[in-house]
Amino acid sequence: MNWQSLTQLISIEQLIWLTLTLFAYVLAIGIFKGFSYNLLFHPIVIGAILIAAMIAVSTTSLPDYQLFVHPISWMLGPATVALAIPLYQQIRVIVAAGSKGMLVIFIGGCIAPLLALGWIAIFDFSDSVQLSLLTKSITTPLAVDTTRIIGGIPELAAGVVVVTGILGVIFSQVVFKLTRCDDSRVKGLALGTVSHAIGTARAHQIDAKAGAFSTMALCVNGIITAILLPLFFWLFA
């Protein structure tokens, strides 16, 4: 097989996997709506199961799949940046929150990795696995790069981020009911700080104000963690 034929084959395979991935996403959205937006059937969970099944059936390796769908993975960055739009639309409300809102995000961003450290101390995980859990509460693009810098496993970190986001959204409903929280700003800050993009998507379903505060929390917590975590390991490791 010559180089031109190989290039054409790869291009066709990439197109097929891109199409299948988008189909799985659309199908997952349909299932999510069909079950009345039950978080147990979240599109990320269902989509991941569908993709895993297709990879297993086709005997395609995970690195090959990641290569084929790289254009979709690349869109994670621009999609995160696009969250600046609702943030701008609610900028006056956010500015009014002032330092109190920032303090909540900072405290939550510090507690998240500390809780991860306390939990993994119970188990005999390898160092690389332990490091991969520290970025569980920041959005995937930042978590993957930060984990790689501190010596963790980026792929594991991405999976942990997804699980954390879904569990955070599920338990947030219970917490909001128990605390009788009806403030959209508080809900948004909590969801964005703990459950990153998945929590932010949920916050936008609540209302525009919750979505804006969640977006702010997602961005600020992600940036703080991405800067301080590698710096901490550089200074004390």
Short mmCIF file of all heavy atoms in Angstrom, two decimals, residues 65-103:
data_model
loop_
_atom_site.label_atom_id
_atom_site.label_comp_id
_atom_site.label_asym_id
_atom_site.label_seq_id
_atom_site.Cartn_x
_atom_site.Cartn_y
_atom_site.Cartn_z
N TYR A 65 -8.52 5.93 18.06
CA TYR A 65 -9.79 6.66 18.13
C TYR A 65 -9.55 8.12 18.51
O TYR A 65 -10.15 9.03 17.92
CB TYR A 65 -10.72 6.01 19.15
CG TYR A 65 -11.97 6.83 19.42
CD1 TYR A 65 -13.01 6.86 18.49
CD2 TYR A 65 -12.08 7.61 20.57
CE1 TYR A 65 -14.13 7.65 18.70
CE2 TYR A 65 -13.21 8.39 20.79
CZ TYR A 65 -14.23 8.40 19.85
OH TYR A 65 -15.33 9.18 20.07
N GLN A 66 -8.68 8.35 19.48
CA GLN A 66 -8.38 9.72 19.89
C GLN A 66 -7.79 10.52 18.74
O GLN A 66 -8.07 11.72 18.59
CB GLN A 66 -7.41 9.70 21.07
CG GLN A 66 -8.02 9.16 22.35
CD GLN A 66 -7.01 9.04 23.47
OE1 GLN A 66 -5.87 8.63 23.25
NE2 GLN A 66 -7.40 9.38 24.69
N LEU A 67 -6.99 9.85 17.91
CA LEU A 67 -6.41 10.52 16.74
C LEU A 67 -7.49 10.87 15.73
O LEU A 67 -7.51 11.98 15.17
CB LEU A 67 -5.35 9.62 16.11
CG LEU A 67 -4.68 10.15 14.83
CD1 LEU A 67 -3.90 11.43 15.15
CD2 LEU A 67 -3.75 9.10 14.24
N PHE A 68 -8.42 9.95 15.50
CA PHE A 68 -9.46 10.16 14.51
C PHE A 68 -10.41 11.31 14.90
O PHE A 68 -10.87 12.05 14.03
CB PHE A 68 -10.28 8.88 14.31
CG PHE A 68 -9.50 7.76 13.67
CD1 PHE A 68 -9.73 6.43 14.05
CD2 PHE A 68 -8.53 8.01 12.72
CE1 PHE A 68 -9.01 5.39 13.47
CE2 PHE A 68 -7.80 6.98 12.14
CZ PHE A 68 -8.04 5.67 12.52
N VAL A 69 -10.70 11.42 16.18
CA VAL A 69 -11.67 12.44 16.62
C VAL A 69 -10.98 13.67 17.21
O VAL A 69 -11.61 14.43 17.95
CB VAL A 69 -12.67 11.85 17.64
CG1 VAL A 69 -13.46 10.72 17.02
CG2 VAL A 69 -11.96 11.38 18.90
N HIS A 70 -9.73 13.85 16.87
CA HIS A 70 -8.99 15.01 17.40
C HIS A 70 -9.69 16.34 17.13
O HIS A 70 -9.68 17.23 17.99
CB HIS A 70 -7.58 15.04 16.83
CG HIS A 70 -6.78 16.23 17.29
ND1 HIS A 70 -6.32 16.36 18.58
CD2 HIS A 70 -6.39 17.36 16.63
CE1 HIS A 70 -5.68 17.50 18.70
NE2 HIS A 70 -5.71 18.14 17.54
N PRO A 71 -10.31 16.54 15.95
CA PRO A 71 -11.02 17.82 15.72
C PRO A 71 -12.09 18.11 16.77
O PRO A 71 -12.28 19.26 17.17
CB PRO A 71 -11.64 17.62 14.33
CG PRO A 71 -10.74 16.65 13.65
CD PRO A 71 -10.32 15.71 14.73
N ILE A 72 -12.78 17.05 17.23
CA ILE A 72 -13.81 17.25 18.26
C ILE A 72 -13.15 17.57 19.59
O ILE A 72 -13.62 18.46 20.33
CB ILE A 72 -14.69 16.00 18.38
CG1 ILE A 72 -15.47 15.77 17.09
CG2 ILE A 72 -15.66 16.13 19.55
CD1 ILE A 72 -16.33 14.52 17.09
N SER A 73 -12.08 16.87 19.92
CA SER A 73 -11.36 17.13 21.17
C SER A 73 -10.82 18.56 21.19
O SER A 73 -10.85 19.23 22.22
CB SER A 73 -10.21 16.14 21.34
OG SER A 73 -10.68 14.81 21.34
N TRP A 74 -10.35 19.01 20.04
CA TRP A 74 -9.80 20.36 19.95
C TRP A 74 -10.86 21.42 20.26
O TRP A 74 -10.54 22.48 20.81
CB TRP A 74 -9.24 20.58 18.55
CG TRP A 74 -8.66 21.96 18.35
CD1 TRP A 74 -7.39 22.37 18.66
CD2 TRP A 74 -9.33 23.11 17.82
NE1 TRP A 74 -7.23 23.70 18.36
CE2 TRP A 74 -8.40 24.18 17.83
CE3 TRP A 74 -10.61 23.34 17.32
CZ2 TRP A 74 -8.73 25.45 17.38
CZ3 TRP A 74 -10.94 24.61 16.87
CH2 TRP A 74 -10.01 25.64 16.90
N MET A 75 -12.11 21.12 19.94
CA MET A 75 -13.20 22.08 20.15
C MET A 75 -13.51 22.32 21.62
O MET A 75 -14.23 23.24 21.96
CB MET A 75 -14.47 21.59 19.43
CG MET A 75 -14.41 21.70 17.92
SD MET A 75 -14.16 23.40 17.36
CE MET A 75 -15.68 24.16 17.92
N LEU A 76 -12.96 21.49 22.51
CA LEU A 76 -13.18 21.70 23.95
C LEU A 76 -12.67 23.08 24.38
O LEU A 76 -13.31 23.76 25.18
CB LEU A 76 -12.47 20.61 24.76
CG LEU A 76 -13.18 19.27 24.88
CD1 LEU A 76 -12.24 18.26 25.53
CD2 LEU A 76 -14.45 19.40 25.69
N GLY A 77 -11.53 23.47 23.84
CA GLY A 77 -10.97 24.76 24.19
C GLY A 77 -11.86 25.93 23.77
O GLY A 77 -12.27 26.74 24.61
N PRO A 78 -12.18 26.05 22.47
CA PRO A 78 -13.07 27.13 22.03
C PRO A 78 -14.44 27.10 22.71
O PRO A 78 -15.01 28.16 22.99
CB PRO A 78 -13.21 26.87 20.51
CG PRO A 78 -11.96 26.16 20.14
CD PRO A 78 -11.62 25.30 21.33
N ALA A 79 -14.95 25.90 22.98
CA ALA A 79 -16.26 25.81 23.66
C ALA A 79 -16.19 26.40 25.06
O ALA A 79 -17.13 27.07 25.51
CB ALA A 79 -16.70 24.35 23.72
N THR A 80 -15.07 26.17 25.73
CA THR A 80 -14.89 26.74 27.06
C THR A 80 -14.77 28.25 26.99
O THR A 80 -15.36 28.98 27.80
CB THR A 80 -13.63 26.15 27.74
OG1 THR A 80 -13.75 24.72 27.80
CG2 THR A 80 -13.47 26.70 29.13
N VAL A 81 -14.03 28.74 26.01
CA VAL A 81 -13.87 30.19 25.83
C VAL A 81 -15.21 30.85 25.51
O VAL A 81 -15.50 31.97 25.95
CB VAL A 81 -12.85 30.49 24.71
CG1 VAL A 81 -12.80 31.98 24.42
CG2 VAL A 81 -11.47 29.98 25.11
N ALA A 82 -16.07 30.14 24.77
CA ALA A 82 -17.37 30.69 24.38
C ALA A 82 -18.28 30.96 25.58
O ALA A 82 -19.25 31.71 25.48
CB ALA A 82 -18.07 29.73 23.41
N LEU A 83 -17.95 30.35 26.72
CA LEU A 83 -18.73 30.60 27.93
C LEU A 83 -18.60 32.05 28.40
O LEU A 83 -19.33 32.49 29.28
CB LEU A 83 -18.28 29.65 29.04
CG LEU A 83 -18.63 28.17 28.85
CD1 LEU A 83 -17.95 27.33 29.92
CD2 LEU A 83 -20.13 27.95 28.88
N ALA A 84 -17.67 32.78 27.80
CA ALA A 84 -17.52 34.20 28.14
C ALA A 84 -18.76 35.01 27.75
O ALA A 84 -19.00 36.08 28.31
CB ALA A 84 -16.29 34.78 27.45
N ILE A 85 -19.55 34.51 26.81
CA ILE A 85 -20.73 35.25 26.34
C ILE A 85 -21.76 35.43 27.45
O ILE A 85 -22.15 36.56 27.76
CB ILE A 85 -21.34 34.56 25.11
CG1 ILE A 85 -20.35 34.60 23.94
CG2 ILE A 85 -22.65 35.24 24.70
CD1 ILE A 85 -20.81 33.85 22.72
N PRO A 86 -22.24 34.33 28.09
CA PRO A 86 -23.18 34.54 29.20
C PRO A 86 -22.55 35.27 30.37
O PRO A 86 -23.23 35.97 31.12
CB PRO A 86 -23.59 33.11 29.59
CG PRO A 86 -22.51 32.23 29.08
CD PRO A 86 -22.04 32.90 27.81
N LEU A 87 -21.24 35.11 30.51
CA LEU A 87 -20.53 35.81 31.58
C LEU A 87 -20.62 37.33 31.36
O LEU A 87 -20.90 38.09 32.28
CB LEU A 87 -19.07 35.37 31.61
CG LEU A 87 -18.22 35.79 32.82
CD1 LEU A 87 -18.74 35.14 34.08
CD2 LEU A 87 -16.76 35.40 32.58
N TYR A 88 -20.42 37.74 30.13
CA TYR A 88 -20.50 39.16 29.77
C TYR A 88 -21.91 39.69 29.94
O TYR A 88 -22.11 40.83 30.40
CB TYR A 88 -20.03 39.35 28.33
CG TYR A 88 -20.21 40.76 27.82
CD1 TYR A 88 -19.36 41.79 28.21
CD2 TYR A 88 -21.27 41.06 26.96
CE1 TYR A 88 -19.55 43.09 27.74
CE2 TYR A 88 -21.47 42.34 26.49
CZ TYR A 88 -20.60 43.36 26.88
OH TYR A 88 -20.80 44.63 26.42
N GLN A 89 -22.89 38.89 29.58
CA GLN A 89 -24.28 39.32 29.65
C GLN A 89 -24.73 39.59 31.09
O GLN A 89 -25.64 40.38 31.32
CB GLN A 89 -25.19 38.27 29.00
CG GLN A 89 -24.99 38.15 27.49
CD GLN A 89 -25.76 36.99 26.89
OE1 GLN A 89 -26.10 36.03 27.58
NE2 GLN A 89 -26.03 37.06 25.60
N GLN A 90 -24.09 38.92 32.04
CA GLN A 90 -24.46 39.09 33.46
C GLN A 90 -23.35 39.79 34.25
O GLN A 90 -23.28 39.67 35.46
CB GLN A 90 -24.75 37.72 34.08
CG GLN A 90 -25.92 36.98 33.47
CD GLN A 90 -27.25 37.59 33.86
OE1 GLN A 90 -27.40 38.11 34.96
NE2 GLN A 90 -28.23 37.52 32.96
N ILE A 91 -22.51 40.55 33.54
CA ILE A 91 -21.31 41.09 34.17
C ILE A 91 -21.64 42.03 35.33
O ILE A 91 -20.92 42.07 36.33
CB ILE A 91 -20.45 41.83 33.11
CG1 ILE A 91 -19.08 42.17 33.68
CG2 ILE A 91 -21.16 43.07 32.59
CD1 ILE A 91 -18.24 40.97 34.00
N ARG A 92 -22.72 42.79 35.24
CA ARG A 92 -23.07 43.73 36.32
C ARG A 92 -23.42 42.98 37.60
O ARG A 92 -23.01 43.39 38.70
CB ARG A 92 -24.24 44.60 35.88
CG ARG A 92 -23.90 45.59 34.76
CD ARG A 92 -25.09 46.48 34.46
NE ARG A 92 -24.77 47.44 33.40
CZ ARG A 92 -25.63 48.32 32.91
NH1 ARG A 92 -26.87 48.38 33.41
NH2 ARG A 92 -25.26 49.15 31.97
N VAL A 93 -24.16 41.89 37.46
CA VAL A 93 -24.54 41.10 38.63
C VAL A 93 -23.30 40.46 39.25
O VAL A 93 -23.15 40.40 40.48
CB VAL A 93 -25.55 40.01 38.24
CG1 VAL A 93 -25.94 39.19 39.46
CG2 VAL A 93 -26.79 40.63 37.61
N ILE A 94 -22.39 40.01 38.41
CA ILE A 94 -21.17 39.35 38.89
C ILE A 94 -20.27 40.35 39.61
O ILE A 94 -19.71 40.06 40.68
CB ILE A 94 -20.42 38.70 37.71
CG1 ILE A 94 -21.23 37.51 37.18
CG2 ILE A 94 -19.03 38.25 38.13
CD1 ILE A 94 -20.68 36.91 35.92
N VAL A 95 -20.13 41.54 39.03
CA VAL A 95 -19.30 42.57 39.66
C VAL A 95 -19.89 42.95 41.01
O VAL A 95 -19.14 43.20 41.98
CB VAL A 95 -19.20 43.80 38.74
CG1 VAL A 95 -18.54 44.96 39.47
CG2 VAL A 95 -18.40 43.46 37.49
N ALA A 96 -21.21 42.99 41.10
CA ALA A 96 -21.87 43.34 42.36
C ALA A 96 -21.54 42.33 43.46
O ALA A 96 -21.51 42.68 44.65
CB ALA A 96 -23.38 43.41 42.16
N ALA A 97 -21.30 41.08 43.08
CA ALA A 97 -20.95 40.05 44.07
C ALA A 97 -19.57 40.32 44.67
O ALA A 97 -19.29 39.94 45.81
CB ALA A 97 -20.98 38.67 43.43
N GLY A 98 -18.72 40.97 43.88
CA GLY A 98 -17.42 41.41 44.37
C GLY A 98 -16.53 40.30 44.90
O GLY A 98 -16.54 39.17 44.43
N SER A 99 -15.78 40.66 45.94
CA SER A 99 -14.78 39.75 46.51
C SER A 99 -15.40 38.54 47.19
O SER A 99 -14.74 37.50 47.31
CB SER A 99 -13.91 40.51 47.52
OG SER A 99 -14.71 41.06 48.55
N LYS A 100 -16.65 38.65 47.61
CA LYS A 100 -17.29 37.52 48.28
C LYS A 100 -17.40 36.32 47.34
O LYS A 100 -17.14 35.18 47.72
CB LYS A 100 -18.66 37.91 48.80
CG LYS A 100 -18.63 38.95 49.93
CD LYS A 100 -20.03 39.29 50.40
CE LYS A 100 -19.99 40.32 51.53
NZ LYS A 100 -21.35 40.67 51.99
N GLY A 101 -17.82 36.59 46.11
CA GLY A 101 -17.93 35.52 45.14
C GLY A 101 -16.59 34.88 44.83
O GLY A 101 -16.46 33.66 44.74
N MET A 102 -15.56 35.71 44.69
CA MET A 102 -14.22 35.20 44.40
C MET A 102 -13.69 34.37 45.55
O MET A 102 -13.01 33.36 45.35
CB MET A 102 -13.27 36.37 44.12
CG MET A 102 -13.63 37.20 42.91
SD MET A 102 -13.55 36.26 41.36
CE MET A 102 -11.79 36.00 41.24
N LEU A 103 -14.02 34.80 46.78
CA LEU A 103 -13.57 34.07 47.96
C LEU A 103 -14.19 32.68 48.01
O LEU A 103 -13.51 31.69 48.34
CB LEU A 103 -13.93 34.84 49.23
CG LEU A 103 -13.50 34.21 50.55
CD1 LEU A 103 -11.98 34.07 50.60
CD2 LEU A 103 -14.00 35.04 51.74
#
